[in-house]
Amino acid sequence: MTPAQPTFSTGFVSGAREWVSKHPLATIVLTALVVRIALAPLWANLPNGLTDEGFWKHWMEQIHNEGVLNIFRTTKTDYVGYHWVLWLMTLVYEVMGGSYNPNALSLHLLVKVPSIIFDVALILTVYWATTRLLESAGEQDLGRLRRFPLVAALIVAVHPAVLYDSAVWAQTDSAITAAMLGALVLASIRRPFAAGAVLALGLAVKPHPIIVGPVLILLLWRAGGVRSLLRAAAGGLLVSAIVLGPWIVHGDGGRIVDVYQFLFTEPRERLSELAWNVWWVFDYRGDPRPGTEIVGGIPLTFQRAGLLLGMLATALAMLYAWRRPGLHASLVAAAYIAFAFYEFPVGSHERYLYPFFGLILPVVVVASAWRWRYLYAALSTTFFLNLVTVAPPLRQWMDRWVYGEFGVYVSLLNTTLFVLCTAMIIVELRLPRPRRPAGAGLELAAG
C-alpha cells in the first residue's frame, strides 16, 4: 500500500507546533496581541463619561490643532510625558485621514494601540524578571529556567484584569508596572543608571512608580552605596531632561510642577474613588468625608488614618526587604507597598492595585509555597470584578452594582486578603535568613 501523503492541514499543524516549540515566547506575545485586538472594539463605560480614552482623544485633537508644546496652555491636562505618545498618534491619525469625532471607531481603536504595546512590554519584563529571580537563587534545572518565565509571561498575556485594563479601557497601567519591575531588577543586577532611567520613564507617564522608591533605594545602596544612588539619579535626570526639556525650554516648567504637585495634594471629596478597599465599607453610601473624625473627639480623621496605615505598611515592607536581602524579598516588599497603596490612602482609584500583579508575579511562579498563588488568584478575581463593575463593557450595566452591597462584600474580602498578606510577610520575617548558594546570587526567601 502507498503510504498516505500528508495533507495541507496536517502539514500546517505540524509546522505550527514546531514553530511554537522553537519560539514559545513569541507565541505568547502573538497570542496576547490577537486577544487584545479582538477585544479592542469594546468600550469601557463610566457613568460620568470621563474615561481616560476620552481625555486621550481630546488631548490628541488639541495637539493636532495647537502643537504638542502648547498642550499645557490649551488644556488642563494632568498627564505629562504621555503627550509625546499622543503626539505620535496624531501623526498616524493624520495619515489615516480620520476626524476627531470621539465616537469614531478608527480613533477608538488607535488610542488603544499604546496600551496594547505596553502590555507586550510588561510580558517581556515579567519574563526577564522571572528568569533573573531563578538565576539569583542559583537554579540549575534548565527545565525550570525555561518553563517558569514562560508561565509568568503567559499569565500576563491572558490575565483578565490586564486584558480589560488595556484592550477595553485603554489605560496605561502596564507601562508604569513594567517600569517599576524593570527598575528593581536592573538595580538587583547592578545596573543603577539604567534602573534610574527606567523608573523615570514610568514617572513620566504617571507619578505612581514613586511607591517603589524606598525598595529601589535599598537595592541600589546594597549594590554600590552612594555611587549607585548617584548613577541612578543621573539616569533619572537624563530621561527627565529628554522628556520634559522641550516644555521647560518652552516656558512651561512651572505648569509641569503644578501637575505633579496637584496629583499628590488633590483635595478628595470621598474616601475611595471607586476602589473596593477598606474605606469603601464606610464610603459607598457617601456619608463620611476624608476630614471626618473616625471617633468623635479624637483628632484622627480618615485621611490621617489612611496615611498612618500606609506608612506602617511601608515600614513593614522595608523591614522585610532589609532583613531578607535579594530580588525575591524586594519584589515581595514592593508588591506589598502597592497593595497598601490601593488599600489605605484616601482617594485611591480602582486601578491602583494593578502594579501588585506584575511585581509579585515572578515570586508567585517561582516560590515553592502555594500561599502566594492562592493570594494572587483571589486578588486577581476581586480586582477584575472591581474594574468591570466600575466601567462595564455594556452601557446598560453602568451603576448597576457599583454602589450596592456586592462591592462592600468584595471590599471586605480585599481587606481580609491584605491582612493575610501582612501575616505572610510577618511569618517569613521569623524564618531563618536565606543562605547564598555557591556561585550564585542571593537565594530565594522561604516560600
Side-chain angles (χ1 to χ4, degrees):
M1 295 180 61
T2 303
Q5 297 296 319
T7 63
F8 172 79
S9 59
T10 57
F12 176 80
V13 171
S14 176
R17 287 177 177 173
E18 182 179 359
W19 194 90
V20 169
S21 65
K22 291 182 178 180
H23 309 283
L25 182 58
T27 301
I28 291 172
V29 171
L30 289 174
T31 301
L33 290 173
V34 169
V35 175
R36 283 158 175 76
I37 291 171
L39 293 173
L42 294 176
W43 295 73
N45 297 280
L46 267 71
N48 55 16
L50 297 178
T51 62
D52 284 75
E53 177 180 341
F55 289 119
W56 308 150
K57 296 172 180 177
H58 171 64
W59 294 335
M60 282 179 64
E61 184 175 13
Q62 292 301 311
I63 290 172
H64 173 75
N65 293 333
E66 306 293 338
V68 66
L69 292 181
N70 289 315
I71 189 65
F72 294 106
R73 302 181 183 186
T74 60
T75 70
K76 295 181 179 180
T77 178
D78 58 355
Y79 273 65
V80 181
Y82 193 64
H83 289 300
W84 292 117
V85 177
L86 297 177
W87 169 66
L88 291 175
M89 286 198 292
T90 63
L91 302 181
V92 174
Y93 202 52
E94 185 175 0
V95 174
M96 294 170 60
S99 67
Y100 282 93
N101 180 347
N103 297 317
L105 179 60
S106 59
L107 187 57
H108 171 68
L109 297 176
L110 180 62
V111 295
K112 294 185 177 183
V113 170
S115 301
I116 293 173
I117 293 175
F118 293 150
D119 275 7
V120 173
L122 181 58
I123 290 171
L124 298 177
T125 304
V126 164
Y127 176 89
W128 174 57
T130 307
T131 302
R132 292 300 311 165
L133 185 58
L134 286 164
E135 292 174 349
S136 71
E139 180 63 59
Q140 301 296 321
D141 187 334
L142 295 180
R144 288 164 59 91
L145 282 169
R146 173 181 170 85
R147 182 173 65 255
F148 282 9
L150 290 173
V151 170
L154 181 61
I155 290 173
V156 177
V158 300
H159 195 295
V162 175
L163 286 167
Y164 200 83
D165 189 80
S166 59
V168 180
W169 208 340
Q171 294 290 355
T172 59
D173 298 290
S174 54
I176 62 172
T177 303
M180 294 184 203
L181 181 59
L184 292 173
V185 177
L186 286 166
S188 74
I189 62 174
R190 301 176 184 273
R191 298 290 186 271
F193 184 88
V198 167
L199 189 70
L201 282 174
L203 289 169
V205 178
K206 286 184 177 181
H208 300 78
I210 197 68
I211 64 174
V212 301
V215 181
L216 181 62
I217 290 173
L218 179 58
L219 273 172
L220 290 167
W221 178 261
R222 282 179 167 151
V226 175
R227 183 177 180 182
S228 287
L229 292 172
L230 291 175
R231 293 181 65 186
L237 288 173
L238 177 62
V239 169
S240 300
I242 294 172
V243 174
L244 305 180
W247 285 305
I248 294 174
V249 173
H250 192 248
D252 294 316
R255 172 60 180 142
I256 293 174
V257 172
D258 291 340
V259 169
Y260 281 105
Q261 184 177 7
F262 177 76
L263 290 171
F264 286 105
T265 61
E266 179 183 2
R268 303 293 184 177
E269 295 297 326
R270 305 194 56 170
L271 301 183
S272 171
E273 295 293 339
L274 302 177
W276 287 348
N277 55 21
V278 64
W279 303 129
W280 186 254
V281 177
F282 303 93
D283 193 45
Y284 84 107
R285 294 186 185 278
D287 296 327
R289 292 291 183 267
T292 302
E293 294 179 347
I294 298 177
V295 178
I298 299 178
L300 181 64
T301 63
F302 283 96
Q303 187 165 12
R304 290 174 181 171
L307 178 61
L308 177 61
L309 289 170
M311 292 173 62
L312 290 174
T314 301
L316 177 60
M318 293 306 297
L319 176 62
Y320 179 85
W322 177 260
R323 291 283 304 277
R324 308 185 73 80
L327 181 58
H328 175 278
S330 297
L331 294 179
V332 171
Y336 182 69
I337 293 173
F339 196 171
F341 185 64
Y342 168 83
E343 190 69 19
F344 294 128
V346 166
S348 289
H349 286 259
E350 68 291 318
R351 300 185 327 279
Y352 282 11
L353 186 58
Y354 189 108
F356 171 88
F357 300 100
L359 293 168
I360 200 66
L361 184 53
V363 174
V364 170
V365 173
V366 170
S368 58
W370 281 80
R371 56 182 177 268
W372 288 113
R373 297 171 191 174
Y374 292 139
L375 176 70
Y376 193 89
L379 269 179
S380 294
T381 302
T382 58
F383 182 54
F384 177 69
L385 290 173
N386 197 171
L387 294 185
V388 174
T389 303
V390 167
L394 298 178
R395 186 174 296 273
Q396 56 267 34
W397 288 358
M398 287 192 304
D399 262 347
R400 181 171 293 187
W401 300 287
V402 175
Y403 297 102
E405 298 294 330
F406 176 70
V408 173
Y409 294 134
V410 177
S411 67
L412 289 172
L413 177 56
N414 281 335
T415 303
T416 302
L417 292 173
F418 183 83
V419 172
L420 290 175
C421 186
T422 302
M424 289 160 58
I425 289 178
I426 293 174
V427 168
E428 288 195 2
L429 268 173
R430 296 171 62 88
L431 296 174
R433 294 190 185 187
R435 294 182 179 180
R436 181 169 179 169
L442 294 172
E443 190 179 8
L444 296 177

